[in-house]
Amino acid sequence: MDNSSPTLGAPAGSDESGKLGTGLNRVDGPLKVCGLARYTGDFYAPGLTHATMLQSRIAAGRVKRIDTAAALAHPGVLHVMTHLNAPRLPEGGQAGIKPPAGRTLSLLQDDRVHYDGQPIAVVVAETLEASRQGARLLKVEVEEETPVLDFEAAKAEAHPPEEAQGQEPDSQRGDPAGGWSAAAHRHEATYTTPLQHHNPLEPHATLAQWDGDRLTLWDSTQYVHGVRQTVAQRLGLSPEQVRVVNPFVGGAFGSKGSAWSHVVLAAMAAREVKRPVRLAVERTQMFGPVGNRPFTEQKFKLAADTEGRLTALEHHVHAETARIEDWIEPSALVSRFLYACDNVATSHRLVPLNVGVPTFQRAPGEATGTFALESAMDELAHAAGIDPLEFRLRNHSDFDAERGLPYSSKSLRECYARGAEAFNWSRRDSRPGAMRDGDALIGWGMATATYPAKRMPAEATAALLPDGRVRVECGTHDLGTGTWTLLTQVAADALDLPPSRIALRIGDSALPMAPVSGGSMTAASAGAAVFSACEELRTRLIDVVVADEDSPLHGVPHERVECRNGGLWHRNEPGRGEALATVAARHREDELQVKVKATPGPDAEKFSKHSFGAVFAEVRVDAELGVIHVPRIVAAYAVGRLLSAKAGRSQLLGGIVWGLSMALHEHSLRDPRYGRIANANLAEYHVPVNADVPDIELIVVPEDDPHIGPLGAKGIGEIGITGVAGAIANAVWHATGKRIRDLPISLDALL
Ligand code: MOS
């Protein structure tokens, strides 16, 4: 069985255009519908064994004793790894902590327990069933301490994070207190967002195989190069000794941006049993040891003058974190720039609890922050007697006052206008409860959406193959988001080849370096690298043929030759030229390949770069039962150039569904006594089903951004979730007159 990442192109004979902006079908679609796309848990290695993690059932204390006799006596059980016999790792297993990939892990290096759900043993067996039974047969004796789980009480211990997503945790400009006291309209309130867990369809999984002192990991991750680096450091290896393979991911949502404990534990266990180990994280284990979105409490003070212009904005965030690691949900960053206001203060504080380490989850910061900010804006608009959309227009920011920079592009006004028109916003009766339809209270709410346009350096290679196809390689990932298709399209477009002539490889740390596929930056980062590599290859090919006496283009000036329609042709002499395959046949492969590193240009620091959008939601609330239904959402976005029409729309729609999920469904319930998640399964951790998802009308406002990179693409993966919870909360208020400031909005809050 070939265990490497596949090489994909569009199916041969597909007559689709590879042009950017068109709706190329997924190049990995045939593999997926045929069940041939292999996810981490599908990979196999000869002699494969199975591992099960045993988790702590206390939230604080230490493991006194683990009796492994019964487990080891169970048929098929090969090894039990505990803190007593686990190999000792450099720096106690915490070498190379550097987020996103490097985090504080639980690697059985001591007897301490810091949270419920912490891995405390790994059982390796011939079968999955035997490893699970072995884990059940372990007898664990613990010494329990009183865990810190009370958020209110622990606020006394709150401290600022070192940074908030690369920015200062606190900010102040102007005179917020003065702006507040001088204002005509004031609003002050506290909003909360709940603990949430990522729960992609595919839980985390790792297959670890040693070959001497070289380690190969098949790992469901957003960051093959990061996992390689961090696992190497934990185990005291050089990165060259580790390879991470990951062709397909069944959703990630941020939790797979970091290498969590199970990845390193699988590698340790495989070394102990001298056989390959597969460790598939169980669904219930998705709640605790692999990250979460932390609970946030966000205090707002928002004030405006008689014209409805903001005179003060304060946004202060307390978010929980683990006692073993500081990770901040940076909810207030968005308040620093989204609206024009001279007097702004924001802050972030961490409240450490005995819980698993939180992490990036689906627009970390912007998703939670825009719920609070957009709710507060709605409340102040009502207090000032101004339509919510008009209120936002009056406070539109034409310039990023926090960073003192112009926007690279901003089409938010068009998003408001087109969204409002499609929604029929002008027909909204501003009085809450006024749009009743029988037993249903109808509410219309809106909010602004935004997400940063990030880009990081990335490398790629492009090579002309002997058969005239072009091989493109980049160590990036497809999380289910469409990267296979997008990069095929970028390469086909750059070289004017049909997409079936591109042979793409991604999802392997043996391929050129690419950043984490998070922060909605894969298209801008890996896309730019593939684009540059293809441009460079075109230049190389033209150089080769004009210097080649055997080419019909010999001696033609470089600029007179173009790469078109699968060949190189003279621009002015029709028919003079040759097919790429003919060129390939005459030259060594190493002459016909290039490697590039694409980095953001000097423009990058001169602009504030964000995607923007406007979300309009309608809710119907049953007047007697409080049941909330969302029949309609209209959302308009400006995201730079939309590279892949189908995949891009899918991303935005998916993001809106996440937002609906955040507004009405998702909520991890933690028992305040034990720190254990009471609904650690997909039956009780609610996510929307098809019947919950409304008719979504999506508008993509055409936008050109010349400063963002060669492709002109801004972030698209996460903006969809932002603003949606705010728009729905505002619609619920408009329907019922009840302002719900705590997510998710449940029917009992309305009764
Ligand atoms: Mo996303 S939370 O940046 O993977």
Side-chain angles (χ1 to χ4, degrees):
M1 197 177 222
D2 180 10
N3 265 345
S4 52
S5 190
T7 303
L8 289 184
S14 66
D15 55 358
E16 291 169 312
S17 155
K19 291 287 167 219
L20 287 174
T22 63
L24 183 63
N25 282 333
R26 286 188 180 239
V27 301
D28 49 338
L31 283 186
K32 286 187 172 168
V33 296
C34 295
L36 296 172
R38 281 192 293 158
Y39 294 80
T40 297
D42 301 325
F43 284 100
Y44 176 82
L48 180 69
T49 67
H50 301 262
T52 294
M53 273 194 303
L54 182 76
Q55 294 169 281
S56 161
R57 279 321 192 199
I58 58 168
R62 64 183 197 93
V63 178
K64 271 168 65 182
R65 214 168 83 87
I66 299 187
D67 181 347
T68 60
L72 287 169
H74 186 75
V77 171
L78 298 167
H79 183 60
V80 179
M81 191 166 72
T82 70
H83 70 279
L84 295 169
N85 66 353
R88 295 302 111 177
L89 302 174
E91 298 178 33
Q94 305 301 339
I97 291 189
K98 189 170 171 264
R103 306 297 296 272
T104 301
L105 302 182
S106 308
L107 300 176
L108 309 180
Q109 299 298 294
D110 60 48
D111 63 358
R112 303 300 307 171
V113 173
H114 306 281
Y115 62 97
D116 180 278
Q118 176 183 318
I120 55 169
V122 174
V123 179
V124 186
E126 297 285 354
T127 64
L128 175 62
E129 293 75 9
S131 74
R132 293 181 75 164
Q133 182 62 12
R136 271 186 211 111
L137 291 171
L138 293 174
K139 292 192 188 70
V140 183
E141 265 180 58
V142 295
E143 192 175 284
E144 197 169 356
E145 292 164 14
T146 307
V148 180
L149 292 164
D150 183 335
F151 185 84
E152 266 320 297
K155 270 160 83 177
E157 283 187 73
H159 63 275
E162 269 182 31
E163 46 97 37
Q165 221 144 279
Q167 299 193 36
E168 291 294 324
D170 294 5
S171 76
Q172 173 144 357
R173 66 172 186 263
D175 174 14
W180 174 261
S181 52
H185 308 286
R186 296 188 191 91
H187 167 66
E188 186 170 9
T190 299
Y191 303 84
T192 69
T193 63
L195 177 67
Q196 297 180 330
H197 288 84
H198 301 72
N199 279 299
L201 269 184
E202 180 207 26
H204 294 254
T206 301
L207 165 56
Q209 181 178 34
W210 289 89
D211 178 10
D213 63 357
R214 302 184 84 83
L215 172 67
T216 305
L217 293 168
W218 289 264
D219 184 43
S220 187
T221 174
Q222 294 168 242
Y223 194 12
V224 287
H225 284 275
V227 172
R228 178 171 93 142
Q229 187 73 32
T230 191
V231 171
Q233 282 177 292
R234 299 304 156 111
L235 298 176
L237 304 172
S238 74
E240 291 69 36
Q241 290 169 274
V242 181
R243 179 178 175 192
V244 182
V245 181
N246 179 35
F248 299 105
V249 183
F253 304 166
S255 66
K256 293 174 183 170
S258 307
W260 298 105
S261 307
H262 67 276
V263 183
V264 185
L265 291 172
M268 292 162 68
R271 195 153 57 178
E272 293 299 295
V273 301
K274 300 185 169 55
R275 286 170 60 179
V277 167
R278 178 194 290 159
L279 200 167
V281 171
E282 296 170 23
R283 180 59 66 186
T284 55
Q285 297 179 329
M286 292 297 290
F287 295 78
V290 291
N292 57 69
R293 192 200 295 279
F295 171 84
T296 72
E297 182 187 86
Q298 306 180 45
K299 285 196 190 309
F300 253 96
K301 284 174 86 169
L302 202 57
D305 63 18
T306 49
E307 305 296 310
R309 293 199 170 77
L310 293 176
T311 57
L313 192 169
E314 292 202 38
H315 187 175
H316 301 292
V317 181
H318 277 84
E320 63 185 27
T321 191
R323 294 189 83 78
I324 51 173
E325 184 176 344
D326 279 359
W327 192 88
I328 186 68
E329 171 87 11
S331 307
L333 297 185
V334 68
S335 289
R336 296 179 183 174
F337 71 91
L338 190 56
Y339 296 108
C341 181
D342 292 335
N343 308 307
V344 177
T346 67
S347 67
H348 295 91
R349 293 291 177 273
L350 289 164
V351 180
L353 304 177
N354 284 106
V355 297
V357 179
T359 196
F360 322 89
Q361 182 173 331
R362 310 181 216 144
E366 290 79 12
T368 47
T370 53
F371 160 66
L373 173 58
E374 293 304 292
S375 296
M377 286 291 283
D378 204 68
E379 296 199 58
L380 187 59
H382 181 68
I386 301 173
D387 172 83
L389 173 55
E390 171 59 25
F391 188 61
R392 283 166 178 83
L393 287 168
R394 286 189 199 178
N395 291 291
H396 185 271
S397 124
D398 299 311
F399 180 81
D400 181 340
E402 179 67 18
R403 301 186 60 207
L405 295 173
Y407 294 107
S408 62
S409 62
K410 184 173 183 182
S411 311
L412 179 57
R413 288 183 193 279
E414 291 81 347
C415 294
Y416 287 139
R418 293 200 43 194
E421 191 189 347
F423 191 82
N424 258 328
W425 181 260
S426 62
R427 292 172 55 183
R428 177 177 181 268
D429 186 326
S430 65
R431 298 163 301 157
M435 292 172 68
R436 192 170 176 136
D437 174 17
D439 281 344
L441 302 169
I442 313 273
W444 287 5
M446 59 83 57
T448 308
T450 189
Y451 193 81
K454 300 176 194 170
R455 182 183 164 196
M456 286 179 73
E459 299 175 353
T461 60
L464 180 59
L465 299 175
D467 62 4
R469 288 184 304 152
V470 170
R471 183 181 61 220
V472 173
E473 298 183 326
C474 180
T476 186
H477 330 79
D478 191 325
L479 314 179
T481 46
T483 310
W484 282 106
T485 310
L486 172 79
L487 295 184
T488 298
Q489 216 167 337
V490 169
D493 187 72
L495 293 164
D496 196 33
L497 281 171
S500 58
R501 306 300 288 163
I502 302 298
L504 176 66
R505 292 187 65 205
I506 64 171
D508 188 335
S509 67
L511 301 174
M513 187 281 300
V516 60
S517 283
S520 301
M521 64 181 172
T522 298
S525 309
V530 166
F531 175 80
S532 302
C534 291
E535 296 265 287
E536 187 80 18
L537 178 66
R538 188 180 57 198
T539 302
R540 168 72 58 86
L541 295 177
I542 295 173
D543 284 345
V544 164
V545 293
V546 300
D548 179 358
E549 290 182 2
D550 295 328
S551 170
L553 294 165
H554 180 244
V556 174
H558 187 111
E559 64 280 3
R560 296 266 169 83
V561 181
E562 63 182 344
C563 183
R564 175 169 52 78
N565 199 17
L568 297 167
W569 308 98
H570 197 293
R571 285 183 193 273
N572 315 115
E573 297 177 28
R576 183 173 176 190
E578 56 183 330
L580 291 180
T582 316
V583 178
R586 286 201 312 275
H587 293 272
R588 295 196 323 271
E589 264 188 79
D590 61 350
E591 287 180 76
L592 308 177
Q593 56 186 332
V594 298
K595 179 171 183 181
V596 302
K597 178 171 186 174
T599 48
D603 249 16
E605 297 310 311
K606 295 186 197 148
F607 295 94
S608 174
K609 303 179 291 290
H610 301 269
S611 288
F612 293 97
V615 187
F616 298 82
E618 176 175 316
V619 302
R620 291 174 76 92
V621 180
D622 186 298
E624 284 173 14
L625 301 175
V627 176
I628 306 162
H629 182 58
V630 181
R632 195 162 70 99
I633 290 177
V634 174
Y637 299 101
V639 292
R641 188 169 169 212
L642 188 66
L643 298 178
S644 184
K646 274 188 189 168
R649 291 183 70 86
S650 265
Q651 285 251 275
L652 292 167
L653 288 173
I656 292 168
V657 176
W658 294 346
L660 174 79
S661 192
M662 181 174 204
L664 300 178
H665 299 277
E666 285 182 71
H667 188 187
S668 299
L669 297 157
R670 189 165 52 220
D671 188 314
R673 298 164 298 176
Y674 310 114
R676 192 173 307 165
I677 307 303
N679 57 338
N681 57 71
L682 281 182
E684 294 161 298
Y685 183 84
H686 291 172
V687 296
V689 299
N690 280 333
D692 296 311
V693 176
D695 180 12
I696 301 172
E697 182 174 347
L698 188 62
I699 298 162
V700 179
V701 173
E703 187 178 57
D704 200 26
D705 190 321
H707 309 295
I708 212 81
L711 298 173
K714 299 203 278 193
I716 191 172
E718 287 159 281
I719 187 174
I721 189 175
T722 70
V724 175
I728 291 175
N730 295 340
V732 166
W733 169 80
H734 183 237
T736 63
K738 292 200 171 114
R739 177 58 66 173
I740 310 301
R741 302 191 181 96
D742 307 296
L743 293 183
I745 303 170
S746 55
L747 59 90
D748 54 294
L750 296 177
L751 296 176

